[in-house]
Amino acid sequence: MKALAIEGLEKGFGGVRAVDGISFSVEEGETVGIIGPNGAGKTTVFNLITGFYRPDRGKILFYDKNIAHLPPHKLPRLGIARTFQNLRLFGKLTVFENVLSAVLVRGGYNLLSAVFRSTDYFVTESKAEEKARKLIEFFNLTGKEDQAAENLPYGEQRRLELARALALEPKLLLVDEPGAGMNPIEIQGLVQTMNEVKRRFSLTIVIIEHQMGLVMNISDKIVVMDFGEKIAEGTPEQVKKDKKVIEAYLGEEPL
Amino acid sequence: MKFFWEARKVILLAVLIYLVLKAVFGFQLLSQYIEQITLFSFIVILTSLGLNVIYGYTGQFSLGHAAFYGIGAYVSAYLSKSLGVDGILGFMPVLFLSGVGAGLVGYLIGIPILRLRDDFLAIATLGFGTLVRVILDNSDRFSEVLGGSRGFVGIPRITNLELAFFVTVFLILVTRNIIFSRFGLFWRCVKNDELASQGIGINTSRMKLMAFSYGCFLAGIGGALYAHLYTFLHPSNFDILKSIDFLIIVIVGGMGSIVGTIYAGLIWVGFIEGLRIVLPAEMLDLRWVFIPLFLIALMMWRPYGLIRKGG
Ligand SMILES: Nc1ncnc2c1ncn2[C@@H]1O[C@H](COP(=O)(O)OP(=O)(O)O)[C@@H](O)[C@H]1O
Ligand SMILES: [Mg+2]
């Protein structure tokens, strides 16, 4: 079953065709990597899927439902969660609050229950706190719960953002360059974490990544973008040998 | 209903404070004037707390808070005068309606302006504050009783120690419960990063509107208590300078700190009124030299307010 299908997606900014008629699909449970040079339009595709941008043309089907014109805050409820290329944590909130907020968005008590401290409030809060603790443990952040997110080292901030996204219990997870700015050892850890995430949460994943080691290792399929278009698609092995891909990357880091 | 049980320590402390105040004022150990400004300080705390919800917790900069305080004051004065209310019991629904009125205006005005960011929001709220001031100045054209620029006179004096104190304590507890709930958490998320908030599914416009109208509701209640404490209203009590007073209290106390707002409100009223007592009449204007100096010193010493040492 197709979890995500992108059909003829287009988005321009002034004269720039950031995304120029892209189509690809993602099977349920699959991990798809999107690669391509800087400025190829990868992040724009994510912003279109998650409602931060409105497409000029094209369809975005999530389990056959067109989600192309939904506002961003509706998507987590449908089962789509994302991380941001430039890390967007709630910097002044604690690690614990960062995860807890995402757990509590999904549901719970109303304002009156909060004001008058009904049973509903206590039950929901304690369940949510337990869930947040578990996620923090899974991402190896135990002991840092009360630190402000902005004070964590970079690699841990990346993990925290993943924890927050998974707190939404998504069916589809979109990850934008999780390895950016990490050293090779941190990348190793990230590959491990991503593989554990896949095993544990039975997710469909789309991952944008520059670190070829990472993306080739965890993806079932790779989509290659350049100048807003898809120039190749296939298994990591197929894509590595593709002529157009090698050309697009000429002058960049070798595959 | 665990509301009172959870807050038992605060309530106990509040009752003790109340008994002390009651004794002090009952035996007339202090002048009526001191009693009056003590009640006024509760009103200032309540209203500033409303602004702290809007600005300190949710990050929506408002330069028009006094306008909502004024709306509450005028609505309640108008209602109690035209309905002939003069006792506390009859006044309770009027008080509530004044808060709701200010909150509703906040809600309606919030829909268009809360989309704006920082500096634009400041201009928009400033504009709204000015608009309200102009309307109040000309209010006698709508109804003679409102008094226009001559002021609204002959409001029954209803606000007493019990009313001002317990309404303030109750609403502080209500506010605390909202702050320490998912709604308060979402407000702080919005303040930290609006895009990330949307990314995890928070309806940011709704949360901003909620914080804004709740903050205006508190200001409206504060205004209603004020009207029935001083029995006279003048449009100049609700202009931009007053908004800045509330802003200073929020910043001095600490953005996003309830306890800080309480201290800062007490200090602010004590300072201004205290200087009025200490300084001879012809030097009264010197207050506006001392106060800015004090603020500059404070911001250098404690940039995050009285309570918190860091961000
Ligand atoms: N909000 C925006 N406004 C204007 N131009 C944009 C915007 N977002 C992206 N672009 C442009 O679209 C192109 C693709 O950007 P992006 O999707 O971020 O690339 P990638 O993620 O592949 O590096 C770039 O030329 C970029 O400058
Ligand atoms: Mg990008």
Side-chain angles (χ1 to χ4, degrees), chain B residues 241-255:
Chain B
L241 288 175
K242 197 75 200 172
S243 292
I244 289 176
D245 283 358
F246 294 129
L247 211 51
I248 289 171
I249 290 165
V250 168
I251 293 169
V252 165
M255 304 266 284

Side-chain angles (χ1 to χ4, degrees), chain A residues 77 88 92 109 115 117 121, chain B residues 177 180 182 192-193 201:
Chain A
R77 243 151 284 199
R88 297 197 87 114
K92 300 249 190 280
Y109 51 87
V115 168
R117 292 296 194 242
Y121 164 85
Chain B
N177 284 357
F180 294 103
R182 55 199 286 262
N192 265 261
D193 191 327

Side-chain angles (χ1 to χ4, degrees), chain A residues 232-247:
Chain A
E233 179 175 352
T235 63
E237 285 69 34
Q238 290 169 340
V239 162
K240 271 188 224 172
K241 293 188 207 108
D242 192 288
K243 252 197 148 150
K244 274 198 202 151
V245 177
I246 295 167
E247 246 168 55

Side-chain angles (χ1 to χ4, degrees), chain A residues 4 11 17 56 60 70 84 105 121 123 136 170 175-176 194:
Chain A
L4 181 72
K11 177 70 182 177
R17 308 294 315 153
D56 300 336
I60 303 167
L70 292 179
F84 293 87
V105 168
Y121 164 85
V123 171
I136 285 171
V175 200
D176 197 347
M194 289 304 298

Side-chain angles (χ1 to χ4, degrees), chain B residues 111-224:
Chain B
I111 292 173
I113 70 173
L114 288 174
R115 293 167 202 278
L116 307 172
R117 252 152 249 260
D118 308 337
D119 30 4
F120 295 111
L121 183 60
I123 304 277
T125 48
L126 179 67
F128 177 73
T130 311
L131 177 72
V132 168
R133 167 80 206 259
V134 171
I135 292 175
L136 293 182
D137 267 331
N138 295 289
S139 58
D140 47 348
R141 297 182 194 198
F142 308 109
S143 166
E144 197 53 43
V145 67
L146 296 173
S149 55
R150 281 167 289 123
F152 192 146
V153 294
I155 304 162
R157 190 183 152 119
I158 298 173
T159 303
N160 58 13
L161 176 64
E162 284 76 14
L163 187 68
F165 186 75
F166 286 110
V167 165
T168 301
V169 169
F170 176 72
L171 288 175
I172 287 174
L173 289 175
V174 167
T175 307
R176 189 201 71 127
N177 284 357
I178 301 176
I179 295 296
F180 294 103
S181 78
R182 55 199 286 262
F183 302 101
L185 186 56
F186 298 159
W187 287 346
R188 291 163 60 221
C189 289
V190 168
K191 182 188 173 186
N192 265 261
D193 191 327
E194 239 183 285
L195 283 184
S197 301
Q198 293 175 358
I200 64 166
I202 296 172
N203 187 340
T204 53
S205 339
R206 201 164 136 232
M207 283 303 124
K208 287 196 279 184
L209 258 182
M210 185 179 160
F212 195 73
S213 25
Y214 180 68
C216 293
F217 165 81
L218 291 183
I221 300 276

Side-chain angles (χ1 to χ4, degrees), chain B residues 63-104:
Chain B
L63 276 173
H65 202 57
F68 299 98
Y69 179 60
I71 290 170
Y74 272 82
V75 167
S76 77
Y78 183 78
L79 285 178
S80 61
K81 222 173 163 187
S82 49
L83 298 173
V85 173
D86 53 5
I88 284 207
L89 253 130
F91 183 60
M92 291 315 274
V94 170
L95 181 65
F96 183 70
L97 279 178
S98 312
V100 170
L104 196 66

Side-chain angles (χ1 to χ4, degrees), chain A residues 11-14 16-19 36-45 47 53 85 176-177 208 210 225:
Chain A
K11 177 70 182 177
F13 298 102
V16 183
R17 308 294 315 153
V19 173
N38 261 326
K42 306 179 296 291
T43 299
T44 304
V45 169
N47 283 333
Y53 297 156
Q85 180 170 352
D176 197 347
E177 298 203 27
I208 296 176
H210 260 322
M225 286 184 69

Side-chain angles (χ1 to χ4, degrees), chain A residues 3-4 26 49 62 79-81 170-174 203-206:
Chain A
L4 181 72
V26 182
I49 297 172
F62 180 62
I80 302 179
K171 296 189 207 119
L172 172 65
L173 178 66
L174 309 174
L203 278 170
T204 309
I205 299 178
V206 182

